[in-house]
Amino acid sequence: MNAQARNSTPIIEALSLHKSYGKHEVLKGLDLSLDRGEVVALIGPSGSGKSTFIRCLNMMEIPTGGTVRFRQKTVGDHFRDKGGEIGIGTLRRHVGMVFQHFNLFPHKTVLQNVTEGPIVVCKTPRKEAEERAMDLLSQVGLAEKHGAYPNHLSGGQKQRVAIARALAMEPEVLLLDEVTSALDPELVGEVLSVIRGLAEKGMTMAIVTHEMAFAADVASRVLFLDQGVIAESGSADQVILNPQNPRLQGFVSRFRG
Amino acid sequence: MSYNWDFHSVWQYYDLFLWGLWISVVYTFGSIFFGVIIGFLTCAARLSHWRVLNVIARVYQEIFRCTPLLVQLLWFYYAFPLLIGASIDNRVAGMLTLSLYVGAFYAEIFRGGIVSIDRGQREAAAAIGMSPWQSMKRIILPQALKRVLPSFINQSVIQFKNTSLVSVISVADLAYMAAVVNGQTYRPLESYTVMAALYILMLLPLTQAADWIEKRLRVSD
Ligand SMILES: Nc1ncnc2c1ncn2[C@@H]1O[C@H](COP(=O)(O)OP(=O)(O)O)[C@@H](O)[C@H]1O
Ligand SMILES: [Mg+2]
């Protein structure tokens, strides 16, 4: 994995990313470079800036300093491509995101949730979009729920639909922000196994998670965020299984129970 | 009491009552129609990041929500013409005032619905690459409008009652016609009772329908 990664060019990068809310500096210069097929896990205490960081990667938050680059091109703070810069709209077509609280569209069926992006944003013909959506729904084990409304689904099912919705855009990168944190414990497994399947198929992912065993298992690289900086980064072996940094030791031991 | 009811002589003028009723309906639906347009524009202005638009919309809303409709009608019919140096038809003044009045309330209803939609909805729409306009049209508005439908209907039913005030600037609506019939027959009890009955006849089905729709919406949530 590492040898392969070194040879390829990064698909998405963050260079010296800063983000402040008023006087409160949340991100203090973060760097990240993701190669195709790489899975990075972000761990760290609550409030350390994990969500803010991952949300900067698709410009859901506009960084106050530094740059985001996608396919070696700088991303601007405008919706459409302009000059040599990539627009936010273009970036988001290729960089999917899955949220902690699913955020499914409650007024649309499961199938419509998944086809919405392709039809509205990519102008894919409805029939084609629906066929592809049904494929994705069977991949996440929910084909028979295609006509249901989100309210009638369990949390685990909602999150799997949300993943299918993101995948329908055929993203090159997937950002996942604590996607199992809102789930009942018995429903976590079904969502993690879908993500594991994506990793095996070579999906590039940045995953914010508190599931240490899962992170160790699926991630090629683990970053430990603490107070707005990347305090530690390395293989899962180094960061999760044999942490050196005392704050990291404390954090990891708490989450491994 | 030995009052001699005489609906017969009053009901001879049924065509006046029906014409007045028709005018009331026209003013109700006309002002609802223009009010919705004004309401949407005002709501958009309130939600825009453009400060000037924001303030203008705000001032308009407060003026119309904080003065009685009767005062607004009198002002538009008697004062406004002096301001612009041209007389203004009482029917135009009536429709204009009613529309501006209800538009201010509609704007607040629409705005309340839009801001009540969870932020995550906008983010999910943005995350699949939708533009702000696409997200508003396909994700936010459908949910917001469904949520505010009961308040919207309620405001519109009230609007039907409000139209009766245009009679003070001599628009020949139902209330005005009742006064005309009274002038002809000297039978105020019958004239105004017929008027009241006609209002009830119109509004009762509407309020019932509104309750029914509200219940339906709550179930489907
Ligand atoms: N919209 C915002 N306005 C102000 N402060 C915020 C905002 N979003 C996040 N923060 C602050 O930024 C810090 C990092 O938050 P977050 O990125 O959500 O951390 P994490 O995901 O690691 O728990 C927290 O102190 C939080 O209060
Ligand atoms: Mg978070």
Side-chain angles (χ1 to χ4, degrees):
Chain A
M1 192 77 216
N2 273 338
Q4 199 185 330
R6 238 173 267 126
N7 289 336
S8 50
T9 48
I11 173 88
I12 193 165
E13 298 160 271
L15 305 173
S16 184
L17 221 56
H18 288 258
K19 176 73 184 179
S20 302
Y21 293 105
K23 282 211 170 80
H24 181 30
E25 194 175 30
V26 176
L27 301 182
K28 303 167 183 167
L30 303 185
D31 294 284
L32 175 70
S33 168
L34 267 180
D35 293 326
R36 257 178 222 286
E38 218 186 345
V39 177
V40 168
L42 289 103
I43 61 171
S46 166
S48 57
K50 304 181 298 295
S51 295
T52 308
F53 182 45
I54 203 174
R55 288 161 60 83
C56 281
L57 292 180
N58 71 345
M59 290 286 184
M60 205 62 85
E61 304 289 343
I62 305 293
T64 41
T67 14
V68 174
R69 287 165 64 81
F70 180 70
R71 294 174 178 160
Q72 281 92 56
K73 281 192 186 148
T74 299
V75 181
D77 62 358
H78 31 78
F79 192 78
R80 289 174 197 290
D81 299 346
K82 203 156 74 183
E85 288 185 342
I86 288 192
I88 292 174
T90 311
L91 174 76
R92 290 179 185 157
R93 277 169 79 142
H94 300 288
V95 178
M97 178 168 247
V98 184
F99 303 86
Q100 180 175 352
H101 296 286
F102 333 123
N103 300 347
L104 291 181
F105 306 132
H107 60 307
K108 295 187 178 287
T109 63
V110 164
L111 184 68
Q112 288 168 339
N113 264 273
V114 180
T115 57
E116 184 70 7
I119 291 175
V120 174
V121 178
C122 305
K123 313 289 181 217
T124 309
R126 174 174 305 277
K127 202 159 175 303
E128 195 183 320
E130 284 177 352
E131 278 168 17
R132 172 135 176 80
M134 286 307 294
D135 271 356
L136 288 167
L137 286 173
S138 19
Q139 269 181 50
V140 300
L142 287 171
E144 81 283 4
K145 293 282 186 193
H146 70 272
Y149 281 89
N151 295 352
H152 299 285
L153 303 181
S154 72
Q157 291 172 329
K158 283 182 192 167
Q159 197 57 295
R160 285 184 281 151
V161 173
I163 292 172
R165 176 176 67 181
L167 292 176
M169 298 298 291
E170 307 190 6
E172 292 171 51
V173 181
L174 205 52
L175 310 172
L176 302 107
D177 190 1
E178 294 199 33
V179 297
T180 58
S181 298
L183 298 179
D184 293 335
E186 73 272 19
L187 301 178
V188 168
E190 64 190 58
V191 172
L192 291 186
S193 79
V194 167
I195 300 168
R196 197 172 278 122
L198 292 175
E200 278 159 13
K201 281 191 197 137
M203 175 64 75
T204 313
M205 290 188 281
I207 307 177
V208 174
T209 184
H210 289 302
E211 305 282 338
M212 290 303 140
F214 172 72
D217 177 32
V218 81
S220 44
R221 193 148 47 102
V222 179
L223 308 183
F224 174 60
L225 257 72
D226 194 19
Q227 297 172 353
V229 297
I230 296 176
E232 202 71 46
S233 107
S235 69
D237 245 14
Q238 295 165 323
V239 178
I240 295 178
L241 304 176
N242 303 295
Q244 301 301 317
N245 172 331
R247 278 183 67 90
L248 175 55
Q249 277 173 354
F251 175 77
V252 168
S253 66
R254 216 163 348 114
F255 274 96
R256 286 160 84 198
Chain B
M1 242 183 75
S2 61
Y3 184 81
N4 259 335
W5 291 88
D6 180 11
F7 279 110
H8 182 71
S9 56
V10 165
W11 196 240
Q12 281 182 337
Y13 295 94
Y14 75 95
D15 51 337
L16 289 188
F17 279 114
L18 292 186
W19 181 251
L21 186 62
W22 168 244
I23 294 298
S24 292
V25 169
V26 167
Y27 275 73
T28 304
F29 283 95
S31 63
I32 287 174
F33 174 78
F34 293 121
V36 164
I37 295 172
I38 295 168
F40 262 112
L41 293 176
T42 307
C43 172
R46 283 287 309 273
L47 294 172
S48 91
H49 296 292
W50 207 14
R51 195 60 184 269
V52 187
L53 277 182
N54 237 293
V55 172
I56 293 174
R58 199 63 208 253
V59 167
Y60 151 65
Q61 277 189 296
E62 294 313 335
I63 287 176
F64 279 86
R65 292 199 304 162
C66 298
T67 50
L69 178 55
L70 177 61
V71 171
Q72 293 167 21
L73 282 164
L74 294 174
W75 191 87
F76 267 98
Y77 187 49
Y78 293 110
F80 187 54
L82 299 175
L83 204 62
I84 58 171
S87 73
I88 168 169
D89 190 274
N90 62 338
R91 289 163 302 183
V92 174
M95 187 65 90
L96 180 72
T97 312
L98 284 174
S99 304
L100 285 169
Y101 172 82
V102 78
F105 286 92
Y106 283 159
E108 203 51 29
I109 290 172
F110 296 152
R111 196 186 69 86
I114 287 170
V115 301
S116 79
I117 300 300
D118 184 66
R119 201 184 61 164
Q121 290 293 307
R122 208 172 311 246
E123 293 188 348
I128 51 175
M130 283 195 192
S131 67
W133 170 240
Q134 287 172 328
S135 147
M136 180 56 82
K137 194 176 73 173
R138 303 206 37 108
I139 306 301
I140 308 300
L141 268 187
Q143 295 182 60
L145 291 183
K146 182 180 168 196
R147 195 170 286 183
V148 303
L149 192 57
S151 331
F152 174 80
I153 293 175
N154 197 33
Q155 186 68 49
S156 305
V157 169
I158 294 173
Q159 183 70 357
F160 196 109
K161 295 190 264 185
N162 284 338
T163 55
S164 66
L165 285 171
V166 295
S167 58
V168 301
I169 56 170
S170 306
V171 173
D173 76 329
L174 179 53
Y176 182 88
M177 289 304 198
V180 169
V181 172
N182 177 42
Q184 298 288 323
T185 60
Y186 302 107
R187 290 237 159 233
L189 185 54
E190 287 84 352
S191 303
Y192 291 121
T193 302
V194 167
M195 168 181 80
L198 285 173
Y199 272 115
I200 291 175
L201 218 62
M202 289 304 290
L203 280 161
L204 197 60
L206 289 179
T207 54
Q208 296 307 302
D211 289 351
W212 183 77
I213 289 171
E214 187 169 359
K215 231 171 270 152
R216 280 283 310 259
L217 284 177
R218 209 173 294 139
V219 170
S220 79
D221 258 346

